[in-house]
Amino acid sequence: MKNYLKRLAIPRHADPVVLNLALENALNDGDQDPDAISVLTDPLFRTHFERVHLQYLAMGVAIDTLKHSEARDTHRWTDRLVEFNSDDEESLDSQG
């Protein structure tokens, strides 16, 4: 999953003015792909994106919690969840 908010360096609940300014700056730099614009400017897509992104963050925290010496992985989450660099599309393509 591409983290468009991180690429634009804006918080998850940034208001439309901040979002539009960040998108405009990225477009002027030639640094932004069109998918980010459609995802972040459409209210329905943005809501979905923010919710899915929050789930990814929660999974990351859960994995980190399981690294604690007293943690018990009763549901085999460490086997079921795979960490990956979401900005590295080549590694995602090679995983299937």
Side-chain angles (χ1 to χ4, degrees), residues 45-68:
F45 282 141
R46 179 160 179 197
T47 299
H48 176 73
F49 174 82
E50 288 181 357
R51 287 180 181 169
V52 170
H53 185 262
L54 187 59
Q55 290 171 348
Y56 271 81
L57 291 175
M59 287 187 283
V61 169
I63 287 292
D64 289 344
T65 302
L66 288 173
K67 293 176 184 174
H68 189 274

